[in-house]
DNA sequence: ACATTAAGTGATT
DNA sequence: AATCACTTAATGT
């Protein structure tokens, strides 16, 4: 196990830290679609993803979602760091997109780790920095990009992240993620299909030339 | 064959 | 670009 940690989280160079993880933390597995965290819920442990993928987003009263970021193997959740440090409830919702395995770190350990282990401290800072930069791109895209451009970059990113040529997801899902309506997505997809950028099918979008 | 879910479309704001 | 109302098409049982 200690080897796996070193492999997936090479940043944890302190031997003692790795030992703490194996001794004090538990491995948890969830299946695709499971909600790991609801908005307003207290954060009692933070996840370090070892396998799979988790979507982190905000949700309003009408069920509209604002996508924030994905958690992938080797990553921890910036929001949960923030919550443990300020003892706040979660401002985000997290759902496993695939069967996911993660190390569950009890929050009680965090303050200690922050002061004791330099490599942990750096991991947290780097996680923050990476997310912050990523989050800046969201207001940019809303302010400066039209819907069709946002759709195209969404498709690009999805096919990269999922490592697949053919995206298997309904238009409605894309609409939720981009905060628009299903009809708009359908129409735009139809348009870019005509322009030869994608080929469409039921539950199937194949980028041809983005 | 039937119900369910995804996608397409026109009209309205 | 959003919403509504409705149609058409694909898919599961």
């Amino acid at each position: 196990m200690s080897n796996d940690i070193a492999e997936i989280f090479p940043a944890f160079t302190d031997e003692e830290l790795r030992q703490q993880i194996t001794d004090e933390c538990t491995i948890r597995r969830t299946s695709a679609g499971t909600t790991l965290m609801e908005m307003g819920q207290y954060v009692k442990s933070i996840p370090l993803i070892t396998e799979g993928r988790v979507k982190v987003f905000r949700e309003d009263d009408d069920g509209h979602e604002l996508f924030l970021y994905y958690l992938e193997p080797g990553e921890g959740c910036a929001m949960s760091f923030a919550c443990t440090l300020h003892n706040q409830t979660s401002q985000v919702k997290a759902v496993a997109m695939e069967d996911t395995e993660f190390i569950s770190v009890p929050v009680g350990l965090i303050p200690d780790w922050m002061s004791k282990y330099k490599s942990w401290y750096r991991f947290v800072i780097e996680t923050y920095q990476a997310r912050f930069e990523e989050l800046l791109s969201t207001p940019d895209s809303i302010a400066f990009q039209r819907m069709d451009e946002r759709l195209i970059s969404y498709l690009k990113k999805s096919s990269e992240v999922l490592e697949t040529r053919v995206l298997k997801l309904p238009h409605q899902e894309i609409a939720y993620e981009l905060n628009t309506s299903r009809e708009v997505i359908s129409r735009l997809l139809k348009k870019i299909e005509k322009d030869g950028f994608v080929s469409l099918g039921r539950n199937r979008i194949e980028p041809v030339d983005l």
Side-chain angles (χ1 to χ4, degrees):
Chain A
M1 180 53 206
S2 195
N3 287 335
D4 294 351
I5 293 175
E7 224 174 88
I8 305 174
F9 295 94
F12 299 160
T13 48
D14 291 275
E15 176 58 38
E16 203 183 319
L17 171 60
R18 291 207 295 269
Q19 198 56 48
Q20 281 258 304
I21 292 175
T22 44
D23 293 350
E24 309 289 336
C25 306
T26 53
I27 303 284
R28 305 240 310 257
R29 289 167 211 277
T30 50
S31 48
T34 308
T35 298
L36 301 176
M37 175 60 62
E38 282 285 357
M39 285 174 65
Q41 198 172 312
Y42 270 100
V43 182
K44 50 205 178 350
S45 67
I46 69 156
L48 302 174
I49 311 297
T50 52
E51 208 181 299
R53 218 160 52 90
V54 176
K55 181 169 74 173
V56 178
F57 57 101
R58 285 173 66 80
E59 198 176 49
D60 72 12
D61 307 329
D62 307 322
H64 293 133
E65 62 181 60
L66 175 61
F67 171 78
L68 296 174
Y69 49 80
Y70 284 120
L71 293 178
E72 301 197 353
E75 296 179 335
C77 177
M79 259 316 290
S80 58
F81 291 146
C83 290
T84 59
L85 295 179
H86 297 114
N87 204 21
Q88 282 177 339
T89 57
S90 175
Q91 298 296 109
V92 300
K93 186 172 171 178
V95 174
M97 299 305 283
E98 299 166 9
D99 291 353
T100 296
E101 183 191 88
F102 61 93
I103 301 167
S104 178
V105 184
V107 295
L109 298 174
I110 304 299
D112 207 31
W113 286 10
M114 287 296 275
S115 52
K116 247 181 173 164
Y117 308 117
K118 190 104 185 182
S119 68
W120 171 260
Y121 177 80
R122 277 189 39 232
F123 177 75
V124 173
I125 299 294
E126 271 162 26
T127 301
Y128 265 124
Q129 203 216 331
R131 290 315 169 200
F132 188 73
E133 273 173 26
E134 206 175 316
L135 289 182
L136 283 180
S137 72
T138 302
D140 279 357
S141 81
I142 292 171
F144 303 127
Q145 289 185 351
R146 294 196 315 267
M147 198 57 234
D148 55 351
E149 291 169 325
R150 290 177 59 203
L151 174 59
I152 286 175
S153 49
Y154 172 82
L155 292 176
K156 263 189 204 162
K157 199 172 172 191
S158 302
S159 51
E160 274 170 28
V161 172
L162 299 173
E163 301 174 321
T164 170
R165 275 202 57 67
V166 181
L167 304 173
K168 191 211 137 291
L169 77 176
H171 297 180
Q172 183 64 69
E173 204 133 307
I174 303 174
Y176 282 140
E177 303 235 344
L178 297 181
N179 278 304
T180 182
S181 61
R182 200 262 313 156
E183 291 92 323
V184 170
I185 295 300
S186 291
R187 287 177 170 129
L188 286 173
L189 280 172
K190 212 62 195 297
K191 201 183 84 192
I192 61 178
E193 181 187 35
K194 216 169 288 175
D195 296 339
F197 295 117
V198 293
S199 110
L200 298 176
R202 182 188 170 87
N203 240 317
R204 199 185 132 273
I205 300 168
E206 183 180 351
V208 175
D209 181 25
L210 291 178

